[in-house]
Amino acid sequence: GAGVSQSPSNKVTEKGKDVELRCDPISGHTALYWYRQRLGQGLEFLIYFQGNSAPDKSGLPSDRFSAERTGESVSTLTIQRTQQEDSAVYLCASSLGLARETQYFGPGTRLLVL
Amino acid sequence: DQQVKQNSPSLSVQEGRISILNCDYTNSMFDYFLWYKKYPAEGPTFLISISSIKDKNEDGRFTVFLNKSAKHLSLHIVPSQPGDSAVYFCAASATRSGTYKYIFGTGTRLKVLA
């Protein structure tokens, strides 16, 4: 079946604008994760959805960041009033939601804030 | 606080030789560890994992070693091939605490020279 898809693949925006990043997980995967990778840095956990449980938002860097997930399908990561330091690759991953399950990553969205 | 550390940002190895990538962690609650490989412009892909009840796991040319007392794991690639050139991330999870969240290291860029 299809893997994790993300859109857009690239996004250039002006400082202060809002952006929405979309993730389509693998069908049947109950868990969905968002990560951020800044240039030259590692994967930074942002937020995690598991089924109908309350999301783990412990990685969101500020209240300008929010994410939603509709059931066990699409997720949207929203960044309000973007800043230049938000420039990064935003990666989404999904898994079956069981302990020790492999996370499957999408190709990422490259965000550049000018 | 970086709970998972990859202190070598880059490594160059001759084709056919062994590549050894290292990872250190600080959280004694971590009980499951993974290695992911990432090519440019792609999402990370799962490579190999190890549970804390083991000290070694092997899959073809890839072997992961875990030293719990030293809170250290390493990935060995033998023999190294040019196609192995990528960024390698280690990740850890405290699955017994009920979380399915992984903490990733900053990555090591491996270059295998032909």
Side-chain angles (χ1 to χ4, degrees), chain A residues 4 10-11 18 40-41 54 65 69-70 78 81 86 91 93 105 111 114:
Chain A
V4 178
N10 292 282
K11 176 73 177 178
D18 297 351
Q41 299 190 19
F65 288 73
R69 187 180 187 195
T70 307
T78 301
R81 305 180 303 281
D86 299 334
L91 290 157
F105 282 82
L111 175 66
L114 300 176

Side-chain angles (χ1 to χ4, degrees), chain A residues 58-81:
Chain A
S58 59
L60 294 179
S62 78
D63 59 8
R64 295 187 295 105
F65 288 73
S66 63
E68 292 184 351
R69 187 180 187 195
T70 307
E72 293 184 353
S73 59
V74 170
S75 176
T76 303
L77 177 69
T78 301
I79 309 173
Q80 295 178 311
R81 305 180 303 281

Side-chain angles (χ1 to χ4, degrees), chain B residues 23-41:
Chain B
C23 179
D24 297 289
Y25 61 96
T26 58
N27 190 339
S28 58
M29 295 295 292
F30 288 149
D31 60 354
Y32 191 63
F33 306 87
L34 308 91
W35 285 92
Y36 277 80
K37 179 167 75 172
K38 186 181 184 301
Y39 292 118

Side-chain angles (χ1 to χ4, degrees), chain B residues 84-104:
Chain B
D84 297 330
S85 297
V87 177
Y88 290 78
F89 293 97
C90 67
S93 182
T95 63
R96 281 174 304 205
S97 65
T99 180
Y100 303 156
K101 184 170 79 179
Y102 290 100
I103 305 298
F104 282 78

Side-chain angles (χ1 to χ4, degrees), chain A residues 33 35 37 42-43 45 48 56 58 97 99-103 105-106 110, chain B residues 31-32 36 38 41-44 46 51 89 95 100-102 104-106:
Chain A
Y33 306 77
Y35 295 89
Q37 186 181 18
L43 296 175
F45 167 79
Y48 156 54
D56 179 343
S58 59
R100 307 184 175 191
E101 280 293 330
T102 298
Q103 294 182 20
F105 282 82
R110 277 163 185 72
Chain B
D31 60 354
Y32 191 63
Y36 277 80
K38 186 181 184 301
E42 295 182 11
F46 170 74
S51 162
F89 293 97
T95 63
Y100 303 156
K101 184 170 79 179
Y102 290 100
F104 282 78
T106 52

Side-chain angles (χ1 to χ4, degrees), chain B residues 14 68 82:
Chain B
Q14 206 67 34
K68 289 187 294 293

